Amino acid sequence: MPHLRIEYSRGLGERADIAALCHAVHGAMCAAGIFPLAGIRVRAFCADHAIIADGLAENDFAAMTLSVGAGRSNDALRSAGDLIFAAAQTALKAPLATPHFALSLEIRVIDPELSWKQTPIHARLSGKS
């Protein structure tokens, strides 16, 4: 784990390149140096229905939630978050230049006692498969 979920408004999907956003934040997650490559996931989901702020049709959002396993310091997570958020800001430069866009990132640390995983990808990427 780290898994980055991007939820975004339908209008943003029409006005911005969501695939490019996914590639940008994936690159930032890799560059952070604190996440195992085999655990990195980036997923984007369009909200079928959303009312944003004052309800104007041109309002858009991208809400990113990064879920990570326990064991990293807040300083390390903050540095990684800064890289990821900066990559998203660059990828979403055009919408951010308007007064109708909201971008957010939240990092959640998952309790290992309440998390189950089976990921053969780790073994494959480490050459132990």
Side-chain angles (χ1 to χ4, degrees), residues 73-93:
S73 72
N74 279 354
D75 287 341
L77 290 173
R78 190 174 304 106
S79 293
D82 287 343
L83 284 174
I84 294 164
F85 199 73
Q89 288 174 306
T90 299
L92 297 171
K93 184 178 177 181

Side-chain angles (χ1 to χ4, degrees), residues 8-81:
Y8 63 93
S9 55
R10 184 169 301 286
L12 183 64
E14 297 166 1
R15 296 177 181 93
D17 185 342
I18 301 302
L21 169 62
C22 290
H23 284 285
V25 295
H26 180 272
M29 291 171 73
C30 292
I34 64 168
F35 304 125
L37 179 61
I40 294 174
R41 311 281 188 277
V42 176
R43 302 181 299 257
F45 303 90
C46 180
D48 289 332
H49 305 282
I51 300 171
I52 303 152
D54 56 358
L56 293 176
E58 58 265 42
N59 290 348
D60 287 312
F61 76 92
M64 301 182 295
T65 304
L66 176 61
S67 299
V68 300
R72 297 172 185 91
S73 72
N74 279 354
D75 287 341
L77 290 173
R78 190 174 304 106
S79 293

